[in-house]
């Protein structure tokens, strides 16, 4: 069933590809917790097909429901990040709601951990986009930050 507790996300994110991969891993794990076979794209009869498809796509780091793989690489502003977050939250929260309604206490705790890891990825992406000097095309490249502003004291 794979790791679904969110503990593997303690590693520092280096590039937008890491953040996107963390988001995808979180959504795929939520799908597994909700009973979706993320390898085959099959899920419970009473689950919306779009949620099953999103979990399936994320299992392969191919978030087509968010305009495809490398969607984090195309953000130009913090507002773009916020729009992607809304798209991801619609799926992640719906999967978590499904787990909350049907899962046991351990599954619900694991779902909450996955939601936190997704939030962490977006918080990192938002901060990175706000402070980036340039945005690399390569998702594994570290984000080069703008120099910190220092304020001089006295004459």
């Amino acid at each position: 069933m794979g790791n679904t507790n969110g503990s593997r996300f303690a590693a520092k994110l280096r590039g937008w590809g890491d953040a996107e991969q963390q988001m995808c891993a979180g959504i795929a794990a939520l799908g597994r917790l909700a009973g979706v076979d993320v390898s085959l794209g099959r899920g419970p009869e009473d689950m919306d097909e779009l949620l099953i498809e999103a979990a399936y796509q994320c299992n392969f780091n191919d978030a087509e429901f968010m305009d495809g793989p490398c969607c984090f690489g195309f953000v130009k502003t913090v507002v773009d990040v916020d729009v992607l977050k809304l798209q991801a939250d619609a799926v992640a929260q719906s999967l978590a709601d499904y787990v909350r309604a049907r899962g046991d206490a351990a599954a619900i705790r694991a779902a909450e951990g996955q939601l936190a890891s997704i939030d962490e990825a977006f918080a990192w992406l938002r901060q990175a986009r706000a402070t980036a000097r340039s945005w690399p095309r390569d998702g594994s490249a570290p984000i080069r930050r703008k120099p910190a502003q220092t304020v001089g004291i006295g004459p």
Side-chain angles (χ1 to χ4, degrees):
M1 182 146 142
N3 184 348
T4 56
N5 66 10
S7 63
R8 69 178 235 174
F9 301 117
K12 185 175 186 318
L13 300 173
R14 289 180 33 91
W16 59 260
D18 293 342
E20 184 172 328
Q21 189 172 26
Q22 180 169 317
M23 184 264 320
C24 280
I27 290 174
L30 284 167
R32 282 190 295 277
L33 288 165
V36 175
D37 182 336
V38 295
S39 297
L40 298 176
R42 296 189 185 134
E45 297 268 332
D46 64 340
M47 183 181 283
D48 187 314
E49 186 63 35
L50 294 174
L51 295 177
I52 296 168
E53 184 64 22
Y56 171 73
Q57 291 169 1
C58 283
N59 188 55
F60 299 100
N61 291 325
D62 186 12
E64 287 293 328
F65 73 98
M66 294 175 66
D67 297 327
C70 303
C71 57
F72 281 24
F74 297 119
V75 296
K76 296 191 183 331
T77 66
V78 171
V79 173
D80 293 341
V81 174
D82 292 342
V83 169
L84 285 180
K85 174 88 165 84
L86 289 172
Q87 291 173 316
D89 277 349
V91 169
Q93 290 294 337
S94 293
L95 288 168
D97 287 346
Y98 191 92
V99 174
R100 287 182 195 111
R102 292 162 185 82
D104 60 16
I108 293 168
R109 278 191 307 278
E112 296 301 328
Q114 292 305 323
L115 290 173
S117 74
I118 293 166
D119 286 346
E120 178 184 282
F122 276 100
W124 180 92
L125 183 65
R126 194 172 205 286
Q127 178 67 22
R129 185 64 266 191
T131 61
R133 184 176 347 159
S134 62
W135 202 246
R137 287 186 172 187
D138 178 2
S140 62
I143 306 296
R144 294 177 51 209
R145 309 289 178 144
K146 296 174 187 171
Q149 298 290 329
T150 57
V151 179
I153 298 178

